[in-house]
């Protein structure tokens, strides 16, 4: 009967910390410098959209784009685009 193949004790390769978690210089892509400020600006535009809608609707009775409270959904949608961009920021 053939003998089973056993692994020798010192033959197991141990991974170093740099192999488990590569640093930026070792090949991980980094976002451009303008990416995070653009995402924050998009979020601020969404917030500004909602504030202007409330200010015009309450004080002057003006309805932006004639779509009523859907302006709130537009504002939140724009904010979510900025938030999703920040989730992918490296």
């Amino acid at each position: 009967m053939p003998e089973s193949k056993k692994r020798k004790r010192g033959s197991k390769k141990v991974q170093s910390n740099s192999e488990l978690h590569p640093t930026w210089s070792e090949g991980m892509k980094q976002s451009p410098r303008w990416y995070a400020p653009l995402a924050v600006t998009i979020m601020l535009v969404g917030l500004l959209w909602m504030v202007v809608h409330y200010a015009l609707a309450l004080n002057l009775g003006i309805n932006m784009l004639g779509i009523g409270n859907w302006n709130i959904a537009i504002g939140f949608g724009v904010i979510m685009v900025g938030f999703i961009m920040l989730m992918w920021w490296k």
Side-chain angles (χ1 to χ4, degrees), residues 14-86:
V14 177
Q15 293 180 340
S16 66
N17 193 22
S18 63
E19 291 175 356
L20 295 174
H21 305 288
T23 60
W24 296 118
S25 62
E26 293 177 357
M28 287 183 69
K29 293 183 180 179
Q30 192 172 10
S31 299
R33 293 182 60 134
W34 52 264
Y35 190 80
L38 176 66
V40 171
T41 302
I42 289 173
M43 292 173 70
L44 289 175
V45 166
L47 178 65
L48 183 65
W49 183 278
M50 291 191 297
V51 168
V52 168
H53 164 69
Y54 270 119
L56 291 178
L58 292 178
N59 294 336
L60 302 175
I62 298 173
N63 188 0
M64 287 175 39
L65 301 178
I67 57 175
N69 286 334
W70 280 102
N71 284 304
I72 306 300
I74 291 172
F76 275 120
V78 172
I79 290 171
M80 288 305 297
V81 168
F83 182 73
I84 291 169
M85 285 178 68
L86 286 178

